[in-house]
Amino acid sequence: MAEEQKESMGFFKRLVSGLGKTRDNIVSGIDSIFSGFSHIDDDFYEELEEVLIMGDLGVTATYDILEDLKAKVKEQHIKEPSQCRQLLIDSIKEQMDVGETAYEFEDQTSVVMVIGVNGVGKTTTIGKLAGKLRAQNKKVVLAAADTFRAAAGEQLKEWANRAQADLIGGQEGSDPASVVYDAVAAAKARHADVLLCDTAGRLHNKKNLMEELKKMNRIIDREYPEAFRETLVVLDATTGQNALQQAREFNEVADITGIILTKMDGTAKGGIAVAIQAELGIPVKYIGVGETIEDLQKFDADTFVNALFQTSIE
C-alpha cells in the first residue's frame, strides 16, 4: 500500500508539472478574474467563459460548468467572486464524473481493441497497459494488427519482451483481421486473461477503417463470444480540439468504451480531458504523463482537477 501511495504521489507531481501550461492558461486567468472583479455579474461570467473555452474545455463543458456555478452561487447567496473558486473546481469535477469509470476488463477474460492515428503513442500505450496487467499477474497476449506501419510490429515486440507478454504478429502489409484471428486462437489456447489488439487508425480513409474494424469484431464475436469487450481510443492531449474531433470520428466507426490521453507531460491543452467527457460522454480511462509504465495511470477526475488547480492530493 505504501508503495502504491508513493507511486500515486509521484504521478500526481508529474501530472502537476505536465499541466503547468494549462494551469498558466486557465487557472491564472481564472484567478485574475476572481481577484479583478468586485462583484458577480454578467461580465464576470463572460470573462470566465472565455478563459475556460481558451483552455480547451470546449463550449459544451464550459456552458454546463457555468450553469452549474450560477445555480450554486444563487443557492448559497454568494456575493464575493473569490468565494466562487472552490465552487468552480467542484463544478469541473462534477462535469468530468461520468459515473463509476469501468475497468471490468481487468477482472474478466477480455479482448481490448486499441485504436488511434499514427503519432499519438498508441503502440507505446499498449505496451504500458500490458506491463500494468502483467504486474497484476494477468496472462497477456498482444496482437500486432497494425500491419500497415512498418515500425509498429517491432515496437510492440520490444514492449512484449519488456512486459513478458506473448506477441502474435503478421507480415507487414498482411491482413489485420487474420492477425486478430491467430491472436484469438492463441489467447484461448494459452488461457490468457487479456488479449490486447494494436490496430491501425487511418481516419483519412474512414470507410476502409470501418470495414477493417467490423471484420476484426466479427472474428472476435464468432471465435471468442465469451470474452468481455473493450474498445479504447488513444488521443494525443497536445492536439487539443483536434483530439476531440478524432474522438468524435472514431466514435462514428467503432463502439468506443474509453479514452486514453497521452502526452500530458508538457501540454497546453489539458482541458481537453474535460471537453471529451462532457461532449461525448465517453470516459477518459487512462492518462499518460511520460515514458515509463508508471506514467500511465487510471484517470481520476478529482486527482486531475486537483493537479490542474494545484490543490494537494488526498
Side-chain angles (χ1 to χ4, degrees):
M1 189 61 198
E3 196 53 45
E4 219 171 88
Q5 226 165 356
K6 204 169 116 193
E7 191 182 298
S8 72
M9 273 304 292
F11 181 75
F12 182 75
K13 278 187 184 141
R14 290 195 294 281
L15 191 53
V16 167
S17 77
L19 289 168
K21 288 182 190 168
T22 305
R23 198 161 38 251
D24 294 345
N25 277 6
I26 304 179
V27 182
S28 58
I30 286 170
D31 286 346
S32 69
I33 294 168
F34 288 153
S35 57
F37 276 81
S38 54
H39 57 281
I40 297 166
D41 57 11
D42 288 348
D43 287 347
F44 168 77
Y45 287 122
E46 241 168 66
E47 292 267 336
L48 264 186
E49 182 179 340
E50 194 175 318
V51 169
L52 294 174
I53 288 173
M54 292 303 285
D56 271 301
L57 269 79
V59 178
T60 308
T62 297
Y63 179 79
D64 291 344
I65 288 163
L66 289 178
E67 285 304 299
D68 187 50
L69 181 65
K70 285 174 188 174
K72 284 175 177 157
V73 164
K74 203 172 174 183
E75 213 174 88
Q76 298 175 31
H77 308 292
I78 287 166
K79 299 278 179 271
E80 294 294 314
S82 58
Q83 293 175 292
C84 286
R85 191 179 197 269
Q86 191 54 47
L87 288 181
L88 182 72
I89 291 172
D90 293 342
S91 292
I92 293 174
K93 284 181 180 176
E94 280 165 33
Q95 189 53 235
M96 298 196 74
D97 184 20
V98 287
E100 190 49 54
T101 301
Y103 298 94
E104 292 114 305
F105 75 91
E106 292 188 348
D107 302 314
Q108 306 188 38
T109 300
S110 59
V111 178
V112 182
M113 300 267 279
V114 186
I115 54 182
V117 298
N118 285 346
V120 295
K122 174 171 58 78
T123 305
T124 307
T125 298
I126 292 168
K128 289 180 189 173
L129 203 48
K132 293 190 95 60
L133 292 164
R134 286 291 297 123
Q136 296 174 30
N137 289 323
K138 305 281 183 201
K139 187 161 180 48
V140 181
V141 171
L142 295 171
D146 183 355
T147 56
F148 294 90
R149 192 166 69 86
E154 281 307 306
Q155 211 181 341
L156 203 58
K157 192 177 180 181
E158 208 173 291
W159 275 105
N161 291 340
R162 210 182 295 183
Q164 295 174 306
D166 293 349
L167 178 72
I168 307 297
Q171 292 302 306
E172 188 189 328
S174 64
D175 178 15
S178 69
V179 175
V180 168
Y181 181 86
D182 292 344
V184 165
K188 284 162 73 174
R190 297 168 198 183
H191 304 291
D193 297 298
V194 182
L195 168 59
L196 287 173
C197 303
D198 185 9
T199 68
R202 300 179 311 287
L203 269 177
H204 58 276
N205 197 338
K206 269 205 288 195
K207 195 174 182 318
N208 280 13
L209 176 65
M210 192 187 280
E211 288 312 312
E212 206 171 276
L213 290 169
K214 272 186 191 161
K215 200 170 165 189
M216 290 183 201
N217 279 319
R218 275 198 304 271
I219 287 167
I220 300 164
D221 288 343
R222 188 183 69 225
E223 302 295 326
Y224 213 1
E226 68 275 24
F228 182 86
R229 305 292 295 281
E230 185 86 29
T231 303
L232 303 174
V233 63
V234 181
L235 301 169
D236 176 345
T238 60
T239 61
Q241 290 298 310
N242 193 27
L244 176 61
Q245 186 52 32
Q246 278 180 24
R248 269 199 204 101
E249 293 191 28
F250 276 123
N251 207 30
E252 285 169 20
V253 299
D255 183 16
I256 305 294
T257 56
I259 305 276
I260 301 178
L261 271 180
T262 61
K263 307 187 188 181
M264 201 58 100
D265 49 344
T267 171
K269 314 279 189 181
I272 201 62
V274 187
I276 288 169
Q277 293 208 161
E279 301 215 3
L280 298 177
I282 300 172
V284 174
K285 292 202 176 185
Y286 293 92
I287 186 167
V289 295
E291 292 307 309
T292 69
I293 286 176
E294 290 70 45
D295 290 326
L296 182 73
Q297 293 278 344
K298 286 179 180 172
F299 181 79
D300 176 77
D302 279 3
T303 305
F304 180 84
V305 180
N306 287 344
L308 183 55
F309 285 86
Q310 215 167 1
T311 51
S312 64
I313 191 169
E314 293 304 320

